[in-house]
Amino acid sequence: MSTETEKLRGAALLLAAIEHIITHPESWDQAVIWHDGDRHCLFGWCQIIAGLSPDADYCFEEVRDLLGLCTPDAAWLCAPSRTMDQIRWFADELAAGRITMTGRDCEGYDAEGYDRFGFDRFGFDRQGRRAPWLCTYSCVQL
């Protein structure tokens, strides 16, 4: 592995993969399971850019570890339905240190009880405001 690729870990690796995908959008297909000829999902590109062999059998675990993510965050990031806007948001959060290896429980909530969008299990943000998708009236008839 070259010295240049050894430096690419964590947010730097994720940002390099995003830059490659933006520069070569025809080479990215998030619905691809890791690698498919010349097309790769985000984790597939991370594996290649990190200097590893494109190996579907180890892609998830290798990239999860290279990015320094817990399994639930890695699974969220590599989901086939993930859009580039969501991936870029995640990369910004990772680069800012707001996503860490110990980050979230199996339901996606951090140690303070908030999901990655800043809402608790009951749909309220840190300021106590109700999430916009919750109904504004009582759903329970007394």
Side-chain angles (χ1 to χ4, degrees):
M1 207 182 299
S2 75
T3 304
E4 192 61 31
T5 59
E6 286 176 12
K7 294 179 185 173
L8 291 178
R9 300 292 182 264
L13 175 59
L14 185 54
L15 292 168
I18 290 169
E19 181 62 33
H20 178 84
I21 290 167
I22 290 170
T23 306
H24 306 283
E26 73 284 353
S27 69
W28 178 57
D29 185 350
Q30 192 61 18
V32 164
I33 306 295
W34 319 125
H35 307 282
D36 183 16
D38 292 335
R39 295 177 315 133
H40 310 276
C41 69
L42 175 67
F43 272 31
W45 275 117
C46 285
Q47 194 178 40
I48 292 167
I49 291 169
L52 301 172
S53 298
D55 186 341
D57 292 336
Y58 300 102
C59 191
F60 180 82
E61 291 82 7
E62 287 179 347
V63 174
R64 178 198 61 207
D65 294 346
L66 288 170
L67 295 177
L69 300 175
C70 61
T71 299
D73 280 347
W76 183 89
L77 183 59
C78 77
S81 60
R82 204 58 56 225
T83 66
M84 183 51 67
D85 285 343
Q86 292 170 321
I87 291 168
R88 289 176 92 166
W89 170 84
F90 190 94
D92 290 343
E93 293 291 301
L94 184 62
R98 290 187 289 266
I99 295 175
T100 63
M101 182 65 163
T102 58
R104 303 186 184 282
D105 65 17
C106 63
E107 293 177 342
Y109 294 94
D110 64 17
E112 296 174 4
Y114 294 95
D115 67 12
R116 54 184 50 87
F117 300 107
F119 293 96
D120 66 15
R121 287 175 168 78
F122 304 104
F124 293 92
D125 66 13
R126 286 177 166 81
Q127 288 76 40
R129 294 181 300 232
R130 194 178 278 248
W133 58 85
L134 291 177
C135 58
T136 57
Y137 57 89
S138 174
C139 296
V140 178
Q141 300 276 330
L142 297 178

